[in-house]
Amino acid sequence: MRYLVVGLGNIGEKRRRVLADRCVATVDPYRADADWSSHLDVPSGSYDAAVLATPGDVKLDYVSYFLDAGKHVLVEKPLLFPDERAAADLRDLARRSGAIWYTSYNHRFEPHIVAMKELLDGGFVGSVYWARLVYGNGTVRNILGSWRESGFGVLEDLGCHLIDLAELLLGSERRDFTARELRSFEAECFDHCVFSTPGGEVWIECSWTTWKNTFSIDVHGSRGSIHMSGLSKWGPTELITRKRVLPSGVPEETREVLDSPDATWEQDLVEFEERVREGRSSFESDLRISKSLHALAQGVEPVSKRELVG
């Protein structure tokens, strides 16, 4: 397929590199080196699919435009709907046009997350007792004053990844969450959040105020536990399995460390093109994640910013 990349920020540039000569044109109203300043001016016959790497508040308009033109759309996460009617309207538009959209959550393709899913699906931990997912970095000062300092903040930047992974690994029935801590330490929006399923079986923490890049998933069950840490974009990742010894004792443990280039973007593109062939959009998962984020943030104002020294 021939691709149009819309938005030449960090992710848009990454997409363009991965696509190489399959990227036939770029659009960005703020970049003089983009091929076009508006998607409306791009000849419709020159591309087959669009990649959206744009701010969240314009995504729905872009997706609607491209679907109506019969173009498939790969959307950088998350795709948020104001309500269920808007989601249904987009689904119906896709059905009429014969095009699909797919919202990208590239961490699904981390090798150790793929392995973790295989272990969980195979019953390695037995009945899942509890799980904890953490994703943090120290980018809050880079976000101040940008378009990212709006909306749901770190919830829609990092939290959506963890909600998606909780669904992938543990099942979509765990999508309801209760806010435990929604903070705004330095940003006007949420920059540190903790939430869980109502019964506390799954805990999620996302933060822009974790000064060292942090990513981990821990799942504990009746037969053992699985522990994954790191992301390939940062360097080595580790997967640990622990098989329970009864009645108690040191578990049987395996460790695997991988240090390989980040191939999740390429795998994500393969997933998109497979969905295009099969006519499968990401409607259901997008709607579930959108509902989760709206429910977490509904009627909640971030805790006031603290007076910072230095």
Side-chain angles (χ1 to χ4, degrees):
M1 286 195 296
R2 300 165 300 168
Y3 287 85
L4 177 70
V5 174
V6 183
L8 285 178
N10 177 51
I11 300 301
E13 289 284 16
K14 187 172 293 188
R15 287 290 184 187
R16 178 162 65 168
R17 288 194 298 272
V18 169
L19 287 166
D21 58 3
R22 286 182 290 172
C23 174
V24 296
T26 59
V27 175
D28 194 310
Y30 307 106
R31 288 277 297 266
D33 58 339
D35 297 305
W36 304 89
S37 61
S38 171
H39 61 294
L40 301 174
D41 298 329
V42 184
S44 181
S46 66
Y47 64 99
D48 307 300
V51 176
L52 295 186
T54 66
D57 61 348
V58 297
K59 281 180 185 173
L60 272 179
D61 289 339
Y62 275 119
V63 177
S64 297
Y65 171 84
F66 288 116
L67 290 178
D68 191 47
K71 306 299 182 182
H72 306 294
V73 192
L74 191 160
V75 188
E76 297 300 338
K77 60 78 191 169
L79 182 62
L80 301 180
F81 302 110
D83 50 46
E84 286 195 53
R85 181 69 261 167
D89 287 345
L90 199 67
R91 177 198 59 200
D92 294 344
L93 175 58
R95 286 174 175 171
R96 290 194 303 270
S97 71
I100 68 106
W101 84 86
Y102 161 70
T103 301
S104 165
Y105 287 90
N106 67 300
H107 295 337
R108 282 177 165 241
F109 305 103
E110 284 285 336
H112 279 153
I113 289 177
V114 172
M116 177 177 271
K117 178 169 173 54
E118 291 176 354
L119 287 165
L120 289 168
D121 289 349
F124 178 84
V125 304
S127 298
V128 174
Y129 288 163
W130 62 274
R132 183 169 182 259
L133 299 87
V134 178
Y135 195 177
N137 60 42
T139 63
V140 65
R141 288 294 178 98
N142 301 101
I143 282 144
L144 302 186
S146 73
W147 63 266
R148 296 173 67 196
E149 193 182 13
S150 61
F152 301 150
V154 74
L155 276 177
E156 64 180 279
D157 181 34
L158 305 182
C160 65
H161 268 302
L162 298 181
I163 293 173
D164 176 69
L165 290 174
E167 177 175 313
L168 173 74
L169 297 172
L170 305 170
S172 59
E173 70 276 5
R174 299 172 185 269
R175 66 182 176 273
D176 296 323
F177 295 100
T178 298
R180 305 295 182 178
E181 184 178 2
L182 302 179
R183 294 278 184 172
S184 177
F185 289 117
E186 298 187 22
E188 295 293 343
C189 56
F190 301 126
D191 58 20
H192 178 84
C193 301
V194 179
F195 51 99
S196 74
T197 51
E201 301 92 349
V202 180
W203 283 81
I204 292 179
E205 178 178 340
C206 55
S207 180
W208 287 331
T209 60
T210 305
W211 310 130
K212 181 177 174 59
N213 290 341
T214 301
F215 184 93
S216 64
I217 303 175
D218 301 281
V219 182
H220 295 254
S222 58
R223 296 178 182 172
S225 63
I226 308 173
H227 311 267
M228 183 265 180
S229 62
L231 291 171
S232 53
K233 66 180 179 178
W234 297 334
T237 65
E238 183 175 46
L239 182 70
I240 302 172
T241 64
R242 294 182 179 132
K243 185 177 180 181
R244 184 181 182 187
V245 171
L246 294 173
S248 65
V250 178
E252 299 175 17
E253 182 176 283
T254 67
R255 290 175 179 262
E256 181 182 32
V257 176
L258 288 177
D259 190 2
S260 57
D262 182 3
T264 60
W265 301 95
E266 289 86 349
Q267 291 301 313
D268 186 59
L269 193 60
V270 170
E271 172 72 12
F272 171 64
E273 295 189 346
E274 182 176 317
R275 283 173 172 264
V276 168
R277 288 191 295 271
E278 297 174 354
R280 290 187 298 121
S281 80
S282 56
F283 167 75
E284 282 115 2
S285 59
D286 285 337
L287 182 57
R288 286 195 293 266
I289 291 172
S290 185
K291 282 183 173 181
S292 292
L293 293 182
H294 278 287
L296 282 168
Q298 187 173 27
V300 178
E301 293 295 329
V303 174
S304 297
K305 289 191 297 182
R306 297 176 179 180
E307 290 295 324
L308 300 173
V309 180

